[in-house]
Structure formats: C-alpha cells, structure tokens
C-alpha cells in the first residue's frame, strides 16, 4: 500500500474501492502463497481482469472518455482524489460540497429528490407493515430529519393519523426522531453531532428511529451484497462518507 502514489489518509478508502472492483470482476485478488505474510490488502495482491480494457485509459475498448455529466465527473476524479486531501472525489471535481452544489443546480436537485422519493416508496409497505408497525405505535409526535419531499413522512402519517408531524432542517422537540438514509451521508464525527442533537430533541421516553442499510450481513445473497458495496462507493465518491456494519 505504501508504494502507491496515494495519500496515507486515503488508505482506508482504497480498500473499499478494491473490494468493489473484485466483486464486479474488474480486479482479480491473488492470495499470497506464504500464509505467514500479513498484508492490509486482504492478504494478497491485485491484477487486472479482462473487462478492464473497457475502462482503462488508452485501452482498446475505452468508451468512457467522453462521459462528463454532473454525476459522472466525480468518478473521473477518483484517481486525483486519492492523491490529495479533499473530503470527496466530488469536491475534487467541482471544488464544492455535494449538497451545496446540488442546491444550486435545480435540474440535478430535482432529479435527486425524485430518486430519493422513489427509493422511499419502494420500501414503505415493509416499513409500516406488521413486522415494524410497533416502532411507530404510541408516538405522539415525530420529526423526519432531512426528509426531502416528505414521502416517508406522508406515508407514516397516513397510517398513524393521531401523530403530530414536524419537518425542519433543525431538530425540534418531539417524541421520536426519524433518520432515514441520513447517517450514511456523514463521517463518524458528524454522525455523533447529529445523534447528540437528536438526544436533546427527544421528549419523555422517546426514541431515535434509524433506517439505513447494514453492511456485512451474512443473511444477504450475493446480489444484495454487491448492491451494498456499490452504494458504499457512491457514499465515498460523492460525500466522503460510508455505509456501516452492525458494530459501527
């Protein structure tokens, strides 16, 4: 790892990148024959796989050279990001934070909000179904932090009409605080600040409800694990953050 031209602060991020590339068969992980060797890179080394000709610069099948859309540009800057101290590859691409840039680009902002709303609608039946319904029973008020267009809030309110709702950027006093797809947007230190603010906002015997994926779940099939690893990369590239396992 030390021989690579990347910043030491980016070593943990590099492992997440190679994990994705191996999962998608773009890299081949070769295990050390000497089992006594201790290596940070999964005790082995990497080589290029045949499909890499489509993505390697100057490769015979490279078809990605002209892709420079709002969201793709950050991926193009991933190599430069590993060599600097920017908070994310998106910041390297635009010199701005993802949320700030998105707020000033109406078309991209609208696309992103619709994507998040579509994602919320896809699992709302599970969230308010019999398995998790007890999570919301008995709550008098609930704050949906960073709730976007309010898709989740409206679905829960429809099924629990006696609940009082507030949706603000700040966290007002409430019986419960809902964090759906919020903590994965921030690093550990920032998450601690968010959770401390949640604790201050909760009244009585309230609760914090966190909805996020859990990495390294042994019950998931290969397709689900592959999707999780890709989403983790999205968090890294655009926000410099991560998905977390149960312990984290």
């Amino acid at each position: 790892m030390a021989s690579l031209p990347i910043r030491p602060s980016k070593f943990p991020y590099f492992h997440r990148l190679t994990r994705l590339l191996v999962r998608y068969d773009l890299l081949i992980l070769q295990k050390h024959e000497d089992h006594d060797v201790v290596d940070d890179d999964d005790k082995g080394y990497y080589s290029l796989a045949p499909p890499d000709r489509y993505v390697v610069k100057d490769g015979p099948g490279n078809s990605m050279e002209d892709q420079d859309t709002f969201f793709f540009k950050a991926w193009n800057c991933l190599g430069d990001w590993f060599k600097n101290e920017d908070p994310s590859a998106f910041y390297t691409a635009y010199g701005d934070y993802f949320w700030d840039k998105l707020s000033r680009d109406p078309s991209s902002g609208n696309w992103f909000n619709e994507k998040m709303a579509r994602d919320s609608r896809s699992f709302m039946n599970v969230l308010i179904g019999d398995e998790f319904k007890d999570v919301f029973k008995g709550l008098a008020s609930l704050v949906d932090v960073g709730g976007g267009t309010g898709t989740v809030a409206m679905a829960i309110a429809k099924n629990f009409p006696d609940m009082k709702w507030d949706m603000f950027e700040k966290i007002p006093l409430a019986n419960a605080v809902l964090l759906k797809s919020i903590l994965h947007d921030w690093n550990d230190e920032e998450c601690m600040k968010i959770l401390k603010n949640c604790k201050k906002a909760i009244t009585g015997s309230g609760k914090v409800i966190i909805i996020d994926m859990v990495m390294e779940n042994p019950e998931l099939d290969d397709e689900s694990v592959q999707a999780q690893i890709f989403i983790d990369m999205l968090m890294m590239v655009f926000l410099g953050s991560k998905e977390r396992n149960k312990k984290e």
Side-chain angles (χ1 to χ4, degrees), residues 84 103 126 159 178:
N84 63 39
S103 67
V126 176
N159 285 269
L178 174 64

Side-chain angles (χ1 to χ4, degrees), residues 59-242:
N62 191 323
S63 60
M64 304 175 74
E65 194 71 25
D66 298 328
Q67 299 296 321
D68 196 26
T69 63
F70 180 85
F71 290 97
F72 200 88
K73 187 175 180 180
W75 291 92
N76 281 339
C77 291
L78 195 57
D80 292 333
W81 176 69
F82 275 112
K83 301 173 186 177
N84 63 39
E85 294 293 341
D86 289 345
S88 68
F90 185 92
Y91 192 95
T92 298
Y94 291 101
D96 205 352
Y97 292 99
F98 177 75
W99 299 117
D100 294 338
K101 181 74 172 175
L102 208 62
S103 67
R104 291 190 290 269
D105 188 320
S107 62
S108 297
N110 292 337
W111 176 88
F112 181 81
N113 283 332
E114 175 53 32
K115 174 67 173 66
M116 292 298 98
R118 216 164 43 235
D119 173 69
S120 296
R121 287 192 291 269
S122 68
F123 74 86
M124 281 314 302
N125 288 336
V126 176
L127 181 62
I128 60 180
D130 293 336
E131 185 176 356
F132 299 106
K133 208 164 188 177
D134 288 343
V135 173
F136 302 99
K137 279 185 178 179
L139 296 179
S141 59
L142 188 147
V143 176
D144 186 11
V145 179
T149 57
T151 302
V152 172
M154 288 184 287
I156 297 175
K158 182 179 179 180
N159 285 269
F160 298 91
D162 294 333
M163 190 184 299
K164 180 181 177 182
W165 280 86
D166 293 295
M167 288 185 294
F168 301 96
E169 292 182 1
K170 293 183 180 179
I171 306 178
L173 297 179
N175 197 206
V177 176
L178 174 64
L179 300 171
K180 176 200 166 289
S181 302
I182 296 295
L183 296 183
H184 72 167
D185 292 338
W186 309 98
N187 62 38
D188 292 342
E189 292 74 19
E190 291 165 329
C191 284
M192 287 298 294
K193 293 178 182 177
I194 293 172
L195 291 171
K196 286 179 180 178
N197 284 335
C198 290
K199 185 176 181 180
K200 294 176 183 177
I202 293 173
T203 59
S205 58
K207 64 178 74 175
V208 176
I209 303 168
I210 298 172
I211 303 174
D212 258 320
M213 72 168 57
V214 180
M215 299 286 287
E216 301 169 14
N217 183 348
E219 297 181 2
L220 295 181
D221 58 31
D222 286 344
E223 280 191 16
S224 298
V225 171
Q226 185 167 302
Q228 285 193 338
I229 292 174
F230 180 71
I231 294 173
D232 177 66
M233 278 298 299
L234 290 177
M235 297 299 104
M236 186 182 88
V237 170
F238 291 98
L239 299 166
S241 58
K242 62 180 180 179

